[in-house]
Amino acid sequence: MLSVVIFLPVVVAILLASIRRLPTAIARWVWVATAAVDLLLTMIIAVAPSPSSVLRGEQRLSWMPGIGSSYHLGVDGLSLPLLVLTGVIFLVCAIWSLRATDRPRPQAALFLFLQSTCLGLFASQDLILFFVFFDLSIVGMYFVIAGWGHGNARRSALKFFLYTFLGSLALLLGFIGLYLGASPHTFDMVELSRTGAFTGTPVMAGFVLAAIVVGLAIKTPTFPFHSWLPPAHTDAPTIGSVVLASVLLKMGTYSFVRIAMPMLPDTWRSYAGVIVAVGIVSVLYGALVALAQTDVKRMIAFTSINHMGYVILAIGAAGIVGHNSEQAQQLAITGAVTQMVSHGLITGALFLLAGVFYDRTGSYDLRDYGGLARPAPRFAAFFAIAAFASLGLPGFSGFIAEFQIFTGSIGTTWWALIALPGILITAVLLLRAFQQVFTGETKNRSEGFRDLLPRETASLAILMGLSVIIGVLPGPLLALIHPAVDTVIKAMTG
């Protein structure tokens, strides 16, 4: 079943790419139907009863036995929420593009290919397989930005590719180090998490962790490896920005929890303070720079650096082991995983809303608008809801995530308090943007602005509806995450 979920989109993508005379309308609906079926299959895996300690949908086939690598798939409470998130985001993108006119058939094929790479990465239980999906996702996003972007799309796509490819090379070095440091040598992620690598050789383990952290810090991205993100978002098409922010950025943060923490537990604990410091800097830097932006896409991009900083802060704090700190560690990691899902939903909605600005007027500049609530009330309502959700208001998923992150992080280290102003700065910038664009007299490009269309409303309603459901009823999601978090904590504490 898991292999079907992963490869169904790419099989349909090949068919769409091959049938050149396929009518445009059929290509669009094939994309929507494929994404919907794939999400349904993912949900079946998610709700199927399974012992908490067993990977769901596990499959293992011999691939390269000589180097200890296999086609090994399986999902647990760390990966399953992100697998479902990926399905939701790609379905929303397909619905959003039902009226797309710029080469819709190739676009549908490319996004279905990209969906397979993302699903494959979150389901991989072998480092080589993980790396293959990781690199293919970079290739897919490069063509999304270069082929369907605007402005300096080619330059931004090239910058995105070079940065993230450099990160993948650093990651490959780290994976080779993990392989060499394991006894017996293996690329199997389950086995590496169970036994750890480089036990008793802290210097070598430090170099391997450094390679992995640099690779993942670029992909996340965190300060100071973030400079590729703003231009990539600014020049990407709307649904490209949505996938980049909601899914591709999560590959980095997910890999910290899946690979770095359990496979190098002693070294992670030794450098946990450094990780916490990087998280705090990313939180404050992302919020302060976002405050200075007038381009709505750049503003949202920098808030993503801020929100991913919360995740880095939490997983760093979880490595600081103290007396009776296990509950705080669990809260921090659970909050980090919840934040990945929450950020994917909320920031995906914000980038869709940013795309509406450009689709209607060709401008992302907030200074070009004023009094927009009068001609576009539904647009204003969704922007307000997404803004309040992003700043972590109770009733939304962001509150559940950030409450756990700060409670767990402060429970292990008081340094986490330094990051708290990031929440206040984010609230100020989002509310200031709302007041500037939607309140007051209708002027400039706001005059004659067309309100949300039904497909746009449906896409936004799916994302914000799920954020509210998690915010009001977080129990099922947290119950899914908890057992996997316990496993990570046991791996770190021995």
Side-chain angles (χ1 to χ4, degrees):
M1 176 73 88
L2 200 50
S3 290
V4 175
V5 168
I6 294 169
F7 292 108
L8 174 63
V10 76
V11 169
V12 177
I14 293 170
L15 292 175
L16 284 176
S18 305
I19 308 173
R20 297 192 173 188
R21 293 186 178 180
L22 189 70
T24 298
I26 293 178
R28 293 180 185 133
W29 281 106
V30 166
W31 183 13
V32 173
T34 305
V37 170
D38 211 51
L39 177 59
L40 178 63
L41 295 175
T42 306
M43 292 301 299
I44 291 173
I45 295 174
V47 301
S50 175
S52 59
S53 58
V54 176
L55 289 172
R56 301 183 187 212
E58 187 171 16
Q59 287 179 279
R60 189 199 297 263
L61 299 172
S62 181
W63 186 23
M64 293 182 282
I67 59 170
S69 180
S70 62
Y71 175 78
H72 190 186
L73 302 176
V75 290
D76 59 7
L78 297 179
S79 49
L80 199 45
L82 296 174
L83 210 69
V84 175
L85 172 69
T86 302
V88 170
I89 292 298
F90 277 91
L91 176 59
V92 164
C93 289
I95 295 172
W96 187 268
S97 302
L98 276 173
R99 293 288 184 89
T101 56
D102 185 9
R103 297 159 289 160
R105 184 179 57 83
Q107 183 188 48
L110 181 56
F111 272 82
L112 287 169
F113 164 78
L114 188 57
Q115 182 175 358
S116 281
T117 65
C118 298
L119 293 168
L121 182 140
F122 291 127
S124 293
Q125 295 296 334
D126 181 274
L127 288 177
I128 298 297
L129 194 61
F130 176 97
F131 186 79
V132 168
F133 284 122
F134 191 97
D135 266 14
L136 289 177
S137 72
I138 296 172
V139 173
M141 182 51 68
Y142 167 81
F143 283 110
V144 167
I145 299 173
W148 280 264
H150 42 256
N152 292 319
R154 292 183 180 179
R155 182 178 179 182
S156 297
L158 183 62
K159 190 172 185 178
F160 159 80
F161 185 86
L162 292 178
Y163 261 80
T164 50
F165 191 64
L166 180 64
S168 73
L169 291 179
L171 201 58
L172 182 60
L173 284 177
F175 287 177
I176 293 172
L178 287 173
Y179 172 79
L180 296 175
S183 180
H185 297 324
T186 180
F187 284 107
D188 190 87
M189 293 166 68
V190 176
E191 191 63 24
L192 284 167
S193 299
R194 189 177 65 81
T195 60
F198 285 110
T199 305
T201 53
V203 175
M204 285 303 298
F207 282 118
V208 172
L209 181 65
I212 293 173
V213 166
V214 168
L216 298 181
I218 293 172
K219 187 71 173 176
T220 297
T222 64
F223 180 87
F225 304 109
H226 62 283
S227 61
W228 62 269
L229 185 69
H233 272 307
T234 303
D235 295 333
T238 297
I239 56 174
S241 289
V242 172
V243 171
L244 179 60
S246 300
V247 181
L248 264 67
L249 299 193
K250 309 304 173 296
M251 293 178 179
T253 51
Y254 164 75
S255 304
F256 276 114
V257 184
R258 171 63 71 195
I259 297 172
M261 295 176 75
M263 296 184 192
L264 294 163
D266 297 336
T267 317
W268 184 267
R269 288 198 301 272
S270 299
Y271 293 95
V274 176
I275 303 295
V276 168
V278 171
I280 292 172
V281 171
S282 294
V283 167
L284 297 178
Y285 174 83
L288 288 170
V289 178
L291 191 62
Q293 303 304 311
T294 56
D295 183 302
V296 64
K297 264 195 161 184
R298 289 181 67 87
M299 182 187 77
I300 300 168
F302 278 107
T303 62
S304 291
I305 297 171
N306 161 267
H307 281 88
M308 290 300 95
Y310 294 140
V311 177
I312 300 302
L313 167 65
I315 59 178
I320 299 175
V321 181
H323 181 62
N324 290 331
S325 62
E326 187 170 323
Q327 188 175 7
Q329 289 175 292
Q330 186 175 59
L331 268 176
I333 301 177
T334 303
V337 178
T338 309
Q339 176 74 332
M340 295 180 211
V341 177
S342 173
H343 180 265
L345 297 172
I346 297 169
T347 305
L350 283 171
F351 273 118
L352 288 180
L353 290 163
V356 174
F357 285 112
Y358 193 82
D359 289 345
R360 303 293 195 270
T361 69
S363 172
Y364 290 123
D365 196 327
L366 295 170
R367 296 168 297 186
D368 288 343
Y369 304 92
L372 196 53
R374 188 179 296 276
R378 287 197 302 277
F379 183 45
F382 271 110
F383 194 97
I385 293 170
F388 282 121
S390 184
L391 58 89
L393 206 68
F396 294 101
S397 55
F399 174 77
I400 303 297
E402 291 174 17
F403 177 79
Q404 292 180 102
I405 284 174
F406 278 103
T407 304
S409 300
I410 295 172
T412 59
T413 173
W414 66 269
W415 283 83
L417 286 167
I418 300 173
L420 275 174
I423 297 177
L424 181 62
I425 299 169
T426 306
V428 169
L429 72 93
L430 287 171
L431 293 178
R432 188 188 64 176
F434 180 81
Q435 285 185 339
Q436 180 180 351
V437 173
F438 293 98
T439 62
E441 181 185 355
T442 302
K443 58 185 180 181
N444 300 334
R445 294 177 187 262
S446 297
E447 295 178 357
F449 197 96
R450 187 174 54 175
D451 207 353
L452 294 178
L453 301 171
R455 63 180 173 82
E456 295 169 336
T457 304
S459 300
L460 290 164
I462 290 172
L463 296 178
M464 296 319 304
L466 288 172
S467 178
V468 171
I469 290 172
I470 294 173
V472 176
L473 296 171
L477 175 62
L478 300 183
L480 180 65
I481 296 171
H482 276 158
V485 170
D486 284 340
T487 303
V488 174
I489 292 174
K490 286 176 183 174
M492 281 201 303
T493 58

